[in-house]
Amino acid sequence: MPAASASPNTVKPLLISGEWITTADSTFESINPASGSANFLISAASESLVDQAVESAWQAVRQPAWRDMLPHKRASILRAIADGMERHADTLARLQMIENGKVWAECQAQVASAAATFRYYASVCETLNAEVTPSRGNYLSMTQYEPYGVVVAITPWNSPMTMEAQKVAPALAAGNAVILKPSEVTSSPALELGRIALEAGLPPGILNVVTGLGATVGKRLVEHPGVRMVSFTGGTASGRAIALAAAEKLMPVALELGGKSPHIVFADADLPKAVEGVIGGIFEGSGQSCVAGSRLYVQRSIAPQFIDMLVKRASQLKVDLPDAAGAQMGPIASFAHREKIERMVGTALADGGEVLLGGQRPTVDALQSGAFYLPTILGSLTRNAHVVREEIFGPVLCALPFDDEDDLIDQANDSAYGLASGIWTADYQRAWRVARRLEAGSVWINTYKQLSIATPFGGFKQSGIGREKGLSGLRLYQQTKGIYWGM
C-alpha cells in the first residue's frame, strides 16, 4: 500500500482546460475519518472559476478534435483511461480510503469496478446503433443521437470512484464535455481521475474537475446558463433543490437519491445464507450505501431465531482501521455524519426501540480518535418510528416482523423511497410475486447488492429520476433527433 503523497499543508489544485489551478486563498480541509487528522487542503473554486470551467468546456466540445471524433477513436481514449486507472490503482484506492474511511479491500475493488466501467462504455460507444424508423410516406426517416454539450456530474462521498466512473464514462462516450464536481469530503479521487484522463489523451477542457462546497460551487454549476444537463447522486433534499433549479432552466436532470430499502426474509429461506446477505447488505461500507438494506422484515414465525443468528454474526464483524489486516468495517466518513447517526439511534430509543446490538462507539483505544461506530441492530420498533422511515446512511439495521405477503408488501412499500429491495425465499413463485409488487428500482432474490454496469439502475418515488448504467446510461447523456430524407 503506497504512503500518503501530500502533507496537511499541501494545497491540491483543481483542473480547468488541462491546467492545474491552485486557490491558496480559498481552500478547505480533507480529513481522514480514521484518525481525525488533516490529509491536505483542497482548492475551492470561485464563481469566476466556475464560469471559466463552463466556458472552457464549451470551447473544447465545439472543437472538431472532439466534436467530429469517430466513436471508435473516442472509445480508445476511454480504454486508455481504464488502463491508467489500473496502473494507478493503489493511489486511487488510498485516496478514497484516507478520505472516506472505506476498508482497503473495498477501495481496491471499487477502483477495479470503476476501470471496468470505462471499458464497458468504450465498447458501448463504438457499437451502439441509431435507427431507421418505419416510413409513412415518400421519405426515409431515421434517428440521430446528439450530445447535450456541457454536462455537470455531481458525485457523493460514499463511493466516489464508482460513482464518478458511472457518470463520466457514459457522458464522454456520448460526446459531451463533463464538469465533474466531487463531494468536498472526497475530492482527491476525482482530481486523480482528471490527471489520468489527460495522460490518456482526452482533449483539455473535455473533463474539468471543479472542487468546492456544494452550497456554493455545486449551486453555481447547476444554475449556470451554460450547463445543459446535470447528473447528481446524493441526498433526496439536495436532489429536490437541483430539480427545482433545473425546472427554472427547463434542463434535464438525472437524480439518484436516497433509499430505505426493505430486506425480506421468509420462513422457508436458507437462513445462514440470508444472515450473510443481510449482514453485507447493511454493514458493508459501514452502511453508507444508497442501496443499504436498512429495513429488515422477517416472517414472524422465525423472527426470534433469525434475529438471534443475525446478532451473533454481526457481533463478530471486525471494526478496525481501514488498512488493518482483516478489517471489515472502517469509520464513518465524517465526524459530523457519525453524530447524525448517533442522534438517529437516540430517536429510535425515544420511540420505544431497543438496541439489540451496538448503538455506540467502539471502546478500543486505537479507534478513539476516529469516527467509528459499531454495527447496530434495533428492535421493538413500529413502522411509524422515525428511524424506520428516514434514511440513516450508517451501520444501523431496523428489524421488524411480518405475517404474510400482503402484510409485508403493505409495510415494505410504506416509504417515500423506492431504490432497492431484497428477498430471501425458496419459493420461486413467491419471489416473483413479491418482486413484482415491490416499489423499487432494483430487486435482489436470494442475494443482495449484486450490481452490473450493464443493468440499468435507478429509483422509484423519491429515490430518483432516470436510469444510469447499461445502454440507457449512455442515452441519458444524449438528445434524440429525427432526420427525414425526401425521396
Side-chain angles (χ1 to χ4, degrees):
M1 186 185 311
S5 59
S7 73
N9 295 321
T10 299
V11 180
K12 290 209 167 196
L14 51 84
L15 176 64
I16 297 176
S17 196
E19 300 293 329
W20 295 99
I21 301 171
T22 300
T23 60
D25 58 337
S26 179
T27 62
F28 57 96
E29 276 190 322
S30 165
I31 300 295
N32 187 332
S35 65
S37 60
N39 294 314
F40 27 68
L41 298 171
I42 307 287
S43 294
S46 63
E47 186 172 306
S48 63
L49 282 175
V50 170
D51 294 344
Q52 184 179 328
V54 175
E55 178 59 29
S56 73
W58 273 115
Q59 290 177 3
V61 82
R62 286 170 172 154
Q63 292 297 314
W66 184 251
R67 183 192 65 215
D68 299 334
M69 185 180 288
L70 295 174
H72 68 284
K73 296 291 187 182
R74 199 179 300 146
S76 70
I77 294 178
L78 295 178
R79 292 191 183 96
I81 294 173
D83 291 341
M85 295 177 75
E86 289 169 352
R87 284 195 305 273
H88 299 286
D90 279 358
T91 298
L92 288 165
R94 179 166 179 79
L95 287 172
Q96 178 170 285
M97 183 188 73
I98 66 173
E99 289 198 318
N100 82 350
K102 281 186 184 291
V103 298
W104 178 245
E106 186 176 356
C107 290
Q108 289 178 304
Q110 290 200 328
V111 173
S113 174
T117 295
F118 274 90
R119 294 196 188 283
Y120 173 81
Y121 279 109
S123 298
V124 172
C125 179
E126 63 177 326
T127 59
L128 194 60
N129 297 320
E131 303 86 26
V132 174
T133 54
S135 173
R136 296 178 66 86
N138 189 26
Y139 56 82
L140 175 68
S141 56
M142 62 183 68
T143 55
Q144 179 69 23
Y145 295 93
E146 305 284 0
Y148 283 101
V150 173
V151 304
V152 166
I154 303 176
T155 53
W157 47 259
N158 62 318
S159 294
M161 285 310 311
T162 53
M163 292 295 100
E164 283 151 12
Q166 191 172 301
K167 296 180 188 301
V168 173
L172 294 179
N176 297 285
V178 181
I179 300 173
L180 174 57
K181 193 304 189 174
S183 165
E184 53 266 33
V185 176
T186 51
S187 297
S188 295
L191 294 168
E192 184 68 9
L193 174 60
R195 185 185 66 79
I196 290 170
L198 287 175
E199 290 181 353
L202 193 70
I206 293 298
L207 176 61
N208 293 328
V209 183
V210 179
T211 48
L213 305 183
T216 53
V217 174
K219 184 174 185 291
R220 175 63 179 166
L221 282 168
V222 170
E223 295 175 352
H224 200 287
V227 171
R228 294 278 180 85
M229 187 265 183
V230 170
S231 178
F232 170 80
T233 296
T236 298
S238 297
R240 287 196 195 98
I242 289 171
L244 185 62
E248 291 292 328
K249 295 169 58 179
L250 292 180
M251 176 183 68
V253 292
L255 303 174
E256 198 259 280
L257 307 176
K260 192 70 180 176
S261 301
H263 207 158
I264 299 154
V265 181
F266 283 95
D268 64 347
D270 183 324
L271 297 189
K273 288 185 178 179
V275 165
E276 294 302 317
V278 171
I279 291 287
I282 183 61
F283 298 127
E284 182 181 78
S286 299
Q288 298 167 116
S289 168
C290 56
V291 298
S294 54
R295 287 187 293 153
L296 172 64
Y297 293 101
V298 186
Q299 198 155 22
R300 195 178 298 275
S301 62
I302 62 159
Q305 173 193 358
F306 187 80
I307 297 300
D308 285 347
M309 294 171 65
L310 193 67
V311 168
K312 181 178 179 181
R313 178 68 183 89
S315 68
Q316 298 168 353
L317 292 174
K318 185 178 181 182
V319 180
D320 209 338
L321 297 171
D323 55 355
Q328 295 170 291
M329 266 184 57
I332 304 304
S334 71
F335 291 85
H337 190 56
R338 180 179 65 176
E339 291 176 2
K340 176 189 173 184
I341 293 169
E342 290 174 327
R343 289 195 299 271
M344 293 286 281
V345 172
T347 300
L349 300 180
D351 286 342
E354 175 187 5
V355 175
L356 305 178
L357 179 71
Q360 62 183 19
R361 304 175 185 184
T363 57
V364 180
D365 288 344
L367 306 183
Q368 293 308 298
S369 59
F372 291 88
Y373 197 76
L374 291 174
T376 298
I377 300 175
L378 303 175
S380 303
L381 294 163
T382 69
R383 66 163 68 186
N384 294 318
H386 188 66
V387 291
V388 175
R389 307 197 70 82
E390 295 299 322
E391 184 176 41
I392 301 174
F393 217 69
V396 181
L397 179 66
C398 302
L400 299 98
F402 71 90
D403 294 310
D404 52 35
E405 285 184 34
D406 287 337
D407 178 36
L408 165 70
I409 295 298
D410 181 47
Q411 292 192 67
N413 287 343
D414 184 18
S415 173
Y417 301 104
L419 191 58
S421 58
I423 304 166
W424 294 85
T425 178
D427 186 336
Y428 74 93
Q429 292 177 320
R430 169 191 284 151
W432 175 253
R433 286 194 306 270
V434 173
R436 291 296 306 276
R437 294 178 69 188
L438 287 171
E439 296 174 346
S442 294
V443 181
W444 290 290
I445 299 171
N446 294 330
T447 185
Y448 203 83
K449 289 182 80 170
Q450 294 290 330
L451 295 169
S452 167
I453 190 59
T455 304
F457 177 83
F460 287 15
K461 299 185 283 189
Q462 292 186 31
S463 286
I465 299 171
R467 291 295 180 269
E468 295 186 295
K469 301 186 176 183
L471 302 183
S472 58
L474 190 151
R475 293 295 191 221
L476 186 68
Y477 297 99
Q478 292 180 321
Q479 305 175 89
T480 306
K481 178 184 291 181
I483 299 178
Y484 297 80
W485 297 73
M487 295 292 107

